[in-house]
């Protein structure tokens, strides 16, 4: 009998999530019971789950699962195919997560409840569909109280979105360093003047930061100013205003990444068709339970797996490519394909308290199949990573690797070597196979017709 | 923010007790620190937000009423536009 608490689940005294004998449970503590009952009796949980906004759960008898004295109810929530974090999301994903949070706040208020926190980590994605996972975030609405989660909402959602849309998309990465959201004074300071004084951002970021600073407790025994009561109408107005502000933010990536990536690569129609057919064949043969596509760009080849019902994560370092991938998947309500932003040369590390709250990329693997299509040359040549090190890295992520090798004779690699010395004597098919031999068994080497590229299938030795 | 200072001290105490009652122990499990400044800001802008909200709702109803009038004679129902995220 094994029971382990999920490492990020500890801040809320209302309950926590843990694993027992492989299954996922949520313990609901007695202190939360009145709120839980209100959420059930008002019909809120049922409505939110039926609408697909809140992760579904079922109640299980307490006696069925080991629990401590504080437990009141035991829940079994649905499990997610993959856990992702806000610093891995593209702009539209963060936007949709924000809108989902606000939609639930509105629904909750309709049922006499509200959100006691508004952390971006309350939201996860099932494919391209956002879902709220923190069932215990909802509490009975105390009439007249200002929204306790307003500051957190602005730090987790509004600030990074404003920075990404009005300053630079790369600033969304600040979420990795600031695990509890981007400080409002920082966001306000970094925004260009024109954006800083837009009424909505002026209030929710700049004035908000100033109000917080002004009323921070600095002196012992200094009188604490009492906030005025805030009516329910005002709360709904605030939610409405935040929603409009967020909907108005659109990120339009400038630059060549947004243009057709595949125009810049050396694919003839014949080669593209050959690659698709070979890949499809390999996926059908391997029948993986899950796939990670590394360097997936807009997900053209990821969809070969996801369209077969296989949960697939499509990683790319370019936020514009991920954005495009996500917008397409969202339009199709794709529940299998999850696009994420990831720099493979500096992937998400372990983060948070004791380095254990948010898992690194490798800790969320390994998966059955990793696809590394037209990727290795970026790592080996573009980033000077030895091929054997790439093999070790890929082994940590997946049991089978489908790899597209682009030789030096191909224009893509030629471009990488154009302005530098060729210090890669071992970069060729034979060198690749030698480098991968320690970790993998070479199962297939398939030439892509109409090109000089090779499609490999490697399977882990142990 | 200056509302309290402009009333006499008895009224100020009454107000403080009222606010304290409203802020009562109900949300003892709201483990987040909302920070005083954030709550005060909401107190200030809340009225404006509420007003905007009411105006927007009424405007949307008015628009809906007009477009229903214009579409009088057809059975088409108003399809919701925009994102499905809500």
């Amino acid at each position: 009998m094994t029971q382990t608490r999920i490492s990020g689940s500890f801040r809320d005294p209302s309950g926590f999530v843990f694993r027992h004998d492989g299954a996922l449970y949520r313990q609901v503590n007695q202190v939360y019971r009145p709120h839980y009952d209100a959420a059930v009796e008002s019909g809120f949980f049922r409505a939110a789950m039926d609408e697909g906004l809140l992760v579904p759960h079922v109640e299980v008898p307490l006696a069925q699962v080991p629990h401590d004295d504080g437990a009141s109810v035991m829940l079994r929530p649905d499990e997610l195919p993959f856990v992702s974090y806000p610093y891995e999301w593209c702009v539209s994903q963060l936007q949709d997560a924000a809108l989902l949070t606000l939609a639930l706040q509105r629904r909750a208020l309709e049922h006499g409840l509200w959100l006691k926190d508004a952390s971006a980590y309350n939201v996860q994605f099932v494919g391209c569909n956002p879902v709220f996972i923190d069932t215990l975030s909802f509490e009975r609405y105390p009439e007249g109280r200002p929204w306790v989660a307003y500051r957190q909402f602005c730090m987790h959602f509004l600030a990074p979105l404003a920075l990404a849309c009005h300053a630079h998309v790369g600033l969304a990465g600040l979420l990795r360093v600031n695990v509890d959201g981007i400080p409002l004074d920082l966001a306000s300071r970094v925004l260009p003047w024109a954006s800083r004084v837009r009424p909505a951002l002026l209030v929710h970021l700049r004035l908000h930061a100033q109000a917080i600073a002004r009323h921070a407790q600095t002196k012992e025994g200094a009188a604490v100013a009492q906030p005025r009561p805030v009516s329910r109408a005002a709360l709904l107005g605030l939610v409405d205003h935040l929603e409009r502000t967020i909907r108005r933010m659109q990120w339009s990536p400038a630059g060549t990444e947004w243009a057709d990536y595949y125009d810049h690569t050396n694919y003839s129609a014949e080669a593209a068709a050959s690659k698709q057919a070979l890949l499809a064949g390999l996926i059908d043969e391997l029948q993986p339970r899950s796939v990670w596509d590394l360097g997936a760009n807009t997900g053209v080849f990821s969809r070969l797996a996801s369209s077969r019902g296989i949960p697939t994560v499509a990683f790319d370092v370019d936020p514009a490519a991920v954005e495009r991938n996500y917008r397409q998947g969202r339009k199709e309500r794709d529940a299998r394909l999850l696009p994420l932003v990831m720099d493979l040369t500096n992937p998400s590390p372990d983060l948070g308290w004791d380095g254990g709250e948010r898992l690194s990329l490798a800790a969320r693997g390994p998966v059955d199949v990793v696809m590394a299509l037209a990727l290795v040359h970026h790592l080996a040549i573009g980033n000077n990573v030895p091929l054997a090190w790439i093999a070790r890295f890929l082994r940590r992520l997946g049991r089978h690797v489908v790899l597209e090798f682009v030789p030096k004779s191909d224009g893509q690699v030629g471009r990488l070597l154009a302005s530098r010395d060729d210090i890669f004597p071992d970069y060729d098919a034979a060198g690749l196979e030698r480098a991968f031999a320690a970790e993998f068994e070479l199962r297939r080497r398939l030439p892509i017709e109409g090109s000089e590229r090779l499609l490999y299938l490697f399977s882990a030795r142990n | 923010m200056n509302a309290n200072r402009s009333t006499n001290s008895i009224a100020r105490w009454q107000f403080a007790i009222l606010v304290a009652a409203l802020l009562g122990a109900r949300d003892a499990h709201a483990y987040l620190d909302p920070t005083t400044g954030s709550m005060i800001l909401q107190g200030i802008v809340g009225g404006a937000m509420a007003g905007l909200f009411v105006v927007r709702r009424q405007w949307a109803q008015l628009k809906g009423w007009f477009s229903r009038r214009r579409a009088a004679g057809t059975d088409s129902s108003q399809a919701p536009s925009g994102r499905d995220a809500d």
Side-chain angles (χ1 to χ4, degrees):
Chain A
M1 182 182 74
T2 46
Q3 179 162 348
T4 41
R5 189 191 278 230
I6 300 300
S7 59
S9 183
F10 61 89
R11 289 208 168 75
D12 187 355
S14 299
F16 59 92
V17 178
F18 64 98
R19 233 171 238 297
H20 173 69
D21 280 351
L24 193 68
Y25 294 94
R26 186 188 303 275
Q27 174 171 315
V28 179
N29 290 334
Q30 275 153 24
V31 290
Y32 183 74
R33 188 58 189 268
H35 304 280
Y36 179 80
D37 288 340
V40 169
E41 281 151 22
S42 64
F44 170 71
F45 276 160
R46 180 51 37 207
M49 289 194 277
D50 286 348
E51 284 178 65
L53 304 177
L54 179 65
V55 69
H57 67 256
V58 291
E59 284 188 23
V60 298
L62 258 187
Q64 226 176 61
V65 187
H67 55 274
D68 57 49
D69 292 336
S72 178
V73 183
M74 194 64 71
L75 305 177
R76 263 195 81 155
D78 279 9
E79 287 214 47
L80 304 160
F82 184 81
V83 172
S84 64
Y85 303 118
Y87 44 84
E88 298 168 341
W89 296 341
C90 66
V91 171
S92 283
Q93 284 167 318
L94 190 56
Q95 208 169 4
D96 287 347
L99 294 171
L100 173 68
T101 304
L102 293 172
L104 277 164
Q105 170 74 340
R106 194 182 294 116
R107 280 292 176 293
L109 285 167
E110 286 166 13
H111 289 83
L113 303 157
W114 75 351
L115 275 170
K116 72 182 179 207
D117 56 39
S119 157
Y121 296 92
N122 286 344
V123 179
Q124 284 291 333
F125 282 87
V126 177
C128 291
N129 304 317
V131 68
F132 198 89
I133 59 162
D134 195 354
T135 310
L136 309 187
S137 279
F138 300 96
E139 290 199 344
R140 287 183 305 191
Y141 165 55
E143 200 72 43
R145 189 94 207 265
W147 190 21
V148 297
Y150 171 48
R151 182 185 73 115
Q152 191 177 46
F153 182 85
C154 292
M155 293 174 72
H156 277 246
F157 292 111
L158 200 61
L161 282 170
L163 288 175
C165 296
H166 298 306
H168 193 284
V169 68
L171 288 169
L174 281 174
L175 279 174
R176 218 209 261 190
V177 171
N178 297 278
V179 283
D180 196 21
I182 297 177
L184 301 179
D185 59 335
L186 189 162
S188 181
R189 184 79 65 94
V190 171
L191 279 174
W193 260 110
S195 313
R196 228 186 279 185
V197 300
R198 285 165 186 252
L201 298 180
L202 183 67
V203 170
H204 298 307
L205 295 181
R206 189 166 167 76
L207 294 184
H208 203 171
Q210 288 175 348
I212 289 171
R214 190 176 311 129
H215 296 280
Q217 278 287 73
T218 45
K219 283 200 282 261
E220 280 284 319
V224 179
Q226 290 297 337
R228 281 187 217 156
V230 175
S231 69
R232 193 166 163 276
L235 277 191
L236 287 169
L238 179 64
V239 167
D240 193 57
H241 195 260
L242 286 168
E243 188 191 358
R244 290 170 57 82
T245 306
I246 285 173
R247 278 194 198 279
R248 252 200 307 258
M249 292 195 206
Q250 286 291 325
W251 178 53
S252 304
T256 57
E257 283 83 29
W258 199 247
D260 287 313
Y261 165 81
Y262 292 103
D263 282 353
H264 295 167
T265 63
N266 295 18
Y267 283 110
S268 63
E270 183 195 2
S274 168
K275 179 174 167 180
Q276 288 243 6
L278 291 172
L279 268 173
L282 285 175
I283 292 171
D284 287 334
E285 182 188 322
L286 289 166
Q287 301 269 332
R289 288 162 298 181
S290 57
V291 171
W292 286 1
D293 188 357
L294 308 180
N297 196 260
T298 56
V300 171
F301 299 105
S302 323
R303 285 180 165 79
L304 286 176
S306 63
S307 61
R308 284 162 167 74
I310 304 169
T312 305
V313 186
F315 299 98
D316 201 89
V317 66
D318 179 5
V322 178
E323 177 78 18
R324 195 175 179 192
N325 194 354
Y326 175 70
R327 286 189 191 183
Q328 184 188 345
R330 180 177 63 189
K331 212 172 1 182
E332 298 161 3
R333 295 180 186 272
D334 193 332
R336 298 270 181 245
L337 179 65
L338 172 55
L340 291 176
V341 181
M342 185 74 61
D343 178 356
L344 294 168
T345 65
N346 184 17
S348 299
D350 290 323
L351 286 177
W353 177 260
D354 204 11
E357 268 184 88
R358 314 296 169 203
L359 300 176
S360 68
L361 176 63
R364 285 173 272 171
V367 288
D368 283 349
V369 169
V370 159
M371 303 208 298
L373 309 174
L375 171 74
V376 168
H377 61 282
H378 286 297
L379 302 176
I381 297 183
N383 272 274
N384 294 35
V385 181
L387 287 170
W389 289 41
I390 296 173
R392 269 205 300 280
F393 172 65
L394 292 176
R395 174 65 193 94
R396 290 178 70 198
L397 302 185
R399 283 174 278 274
H400 304 278
V401 176
V402 174
L403 185 156
E404 178 188 8
F405 178 70
V406 182
K408 284 181 188 173
S409 52
D410 187 292
Q412 264 205 19
V413 180
R415 263 195 292 278
L416 286 180
L417 290 169
S419 54
R420 53 186 298 191
D421 293 338
D422 184 346
I423 51 167
F424 310 97
D426 293 328
Y427 184 86
D428 53 27
L432 178 84
E433 292 172 27
R434 266 196 314 274
F436 273 57
E439 301 281 350
F440 294 98
E441 189 195 318
L442 170 58
R443 300 258 306 272
R444 296 286 169 75
R445 185 201 301 113
L446 308 163
I448 296 179
E449 287 157 25
S451 81
E452 306 208 16
R453 301 167 175 224
L454 297 167
L455 196 64
Y456 282 95
L457 171 62
F458 290 103
S459 295
R461 285 191 187 283
N462 49 3
Chain B
M1 259 191 311
N2 288 324
N4 287 353
R5 292 197 204 128
S6 62
T7 59
N8 63 39
S9 58
I10 291 177
R12 209 203 291 188
W13 273 113
Q14 286 175 338
F15 182 70
I17 289 167
L18 170 67
V19 170
L22 288 170
L23 292 173
R26 197 97 68 89
D27 58 350
H29 343 101
Y31 62 99
L32 267 195
D33 174 16
T35 68
T36 310
S38 181
M39 297 198 286
I40 285 179
L41 182 69
Q42 287 179 70
I44 297 169
V45 302
M49 298 290 179
L52 275 175
F53 177 65
V54 166
V55 166
R56 214 169 279 126
R57 270 287 155 97
Q58 288 176 341
W59 181 242
Q61 280 172 358
L62 208 61
K63 278 205 296 194
W65 184 76
F66 272 119
S67 46
R68 272 196 296 277
R69 281 205 67 182
R70 223 177 291 129
T74 69
D75 277 328
S76 59
S77 53
Q78 284 289 330
S81 61
R83 232 182 266 243
D84 288 344
D86 194 345

